[in-house]
Amino acid sequence: MSTLTSELQHHSRRGTLWMTVSLTCFTGNALLLKVLSSNRHVDPWMSLAFRAVLGLLVTIVLFAPAGSLRLRRSFQSWLLASRGILGAIGTAAYYVTIGPLGAGKATLIGNTWTVFAAIMAAFVLHERLGLMKLGGILLALFGLGLLTGMAPGTLTQFGQYEIIALVGAVLAAAVVVVIRQLTRTETSATIFASQCVYGVLLAVPIAWMNHISLNWTDVALLSAAAMCATFGQLAMTEGFRFLSVAAGGAFQVTVPVIITLCSISLFAEPFTMPQVIGGVLVLWGSFQTVVGGRRR
């Protein structure tokens, strides 16, 4: 028993370490994107292009020598292509909205992908929706209404960027459903690389058309944001190897919390009291949707 307990504690520590790295990287990525968009006035498509290109290069360097990366599959499998296209567009929606909405609000709206993924999985994958998940879904959707200003007398606050962010969350949910099917036949490296491939195809031409001169500071910030996003994704995947869905989900729910707090303190991002309540409900509802029925 002592050996088993020691091994479980070791796995828990490793999982916690990887999830902490993931949380730090995702937070750094969001804050850097805010700086690039609002302070440096760098086109978000340029940020997305850097993320896709550097993410693809890192994936090739890390996984190609071991033979676990098959880039051609991104064009040969319609399911992989769907993951890449939907993932690229969904990520673009987040990058486009993080400047106008602020890192906190954009991330909170984007975090509702957990709710939409649970709903889609029930219809597509026939996964069961228990009372805990249904309650979490309703709670998160009500919180989303408060967060986006969809309350009597404040409907004007729900503008085009809120719509784009919400569409991005729905696309992210669709990506998760597709990934659940892809894990049966494809490696994690190939699945991740598919988004990078289609991200390059989507973002690079648009960034080129909107190209403005970048100084070395811009390039450094763009590269840092791209590396944060890449290693955040890889660290999260590794963390889930050692932690339960409940524990891993708890770490990921803290990501929008940290980003929001940093946005308020660093960028004076405004939040009304109804929006604060809505954000809390979104986080709690999302957490219940992820772990509902899994805790013993």
Side-chain angles (χ1 to χ4, degrees):
M1 287 295 293
S2 60
T3 302
L4 177 60
T5 301
S6 176
E7 184 178 350
L8 290 175
Q9 290 176 344
H10 176 65
H11 284 176
S12 178
R13 285 195 295 268
R14 290 187 65 180
T16 299
L17 175 61
W18 282 116
M19 284 298 181
T20 302
V21 172
S22 172
L23 186 155
T24 304
C25 288
F26 283 142
T27 301
N29 174 63
L31 298 179
L32 285 170
L33 290 176
K34 174 63 178 177
V35 171
L36 284 164
S37 178
S38 300
N39 297 356
R40 309 292 301 183
H41 305 292
V42 174
D43 182 43
W45 290 101
M46 183 64 72
S47 300
L48 184 60
F50 264 74
R51 169 175 173 157
V53 171
L54 290 183
L56 184 59
L57 291 176
V58 169
T59 307
I60 292 173
V61 170
L62 293 180
F63 299 104
S68 59
L69 176 62
R70 295 177 292 177
L71 284 178
R72 290 184 180 179
R73 293 284 296 161
S74 297
F75 303 100
Q76 296 171 340
S77 167
W78 71 269
L79 208 56
L80 263 178
S82 299
R83 185 268 180 271
I85 295 170
L86 293 175
I89 298 174
T91 305
Y94 178 64
Y95 275 51
V96 167
T97 57
I98 201 168
L101 293 182
K105 188 175 181 181
T107 305
L108 285 168
I109 295 175
N111 195 66
T112 58
W113 69 263
T114 55
V115 172
F116 297 117
I119 296 173
M120 292 180 186
F123 290 97
V124 178
L125 304 178
H126 306 291
E127 293 187 2
R128 182 175 175 272
L129 281 178
L131 290 178
M132 289 278 289
K133 284 192 174 184
L134 285 174
I137 289 172
L138 293 175
L139 199 63
L141 291 178
F142 179 72
L144 179 63
L146 293 176
L147 179 65
T148 57
M150 292 180 64
T154 61
L155 289 176
T156 55
Q157 294 183 26
F158 192 75
Q160 61 174 333
Y161 290 107
E162 283 85 356
I163 294 174
I164 294 173
L166 194 56
V167 170
V170 173
L171 291 177
V175 167
V176 171
V177 174
V178 172
I179 288 176
R180 288 179 185 175
Q181 296 173 290
L182 284 171
T183 51
R184 303 169 185 170
T185 58
E186 308 292 344
T187 65
S188 297
T190 301
I191 294 172
F192 176 69
S194 66
Q195 178 179 339
C196 297
V197 169
Y198 285 95
V200 169
L201 295 177
L202 173 66
V204 170
I206 299 177
W208 181 263
M209 288 187 294
N210 299 331
H211 174 66
I212 58 173
S213 59
L214 301 173
N215 58 38
W216 287 109
T217 301
D218 295 330
V219 173
L221 292 174
L222 285 165
S223 300
M227 297 304 285
C228 282
T230 299
F231 284 106
Q233 184 69 48
L234 294 174
M236 181 184 70
T237 301
E238 192 66 20
F240 271 116
R241 295 182 186 275
F242 305 101
L243 296 177
S244 66
V245 173
F251 269 97
Q252 292 309 308
V253 168
T254 62
V255 172
V257 176
I258 300 299
I259 291 175
T260 301
L261 292 177
C262 290
S263 297
I264 293 173
S265 59
L266 297 177
F267 305 114
E269 185 175 331
F271 274 87
T272 64
M273 184 53 64
Q275 287 179 324
V276 171
I277 296 173
V280 172
L281 292 178
V282 165
L283 293 171
W284 183 246
S286 298
F287 178 72
Q288 291 300 319
T289 303
V290 171
V291 306
R294 294 181 180 269
R295 292 176 294 179
R296 291 183 292 180

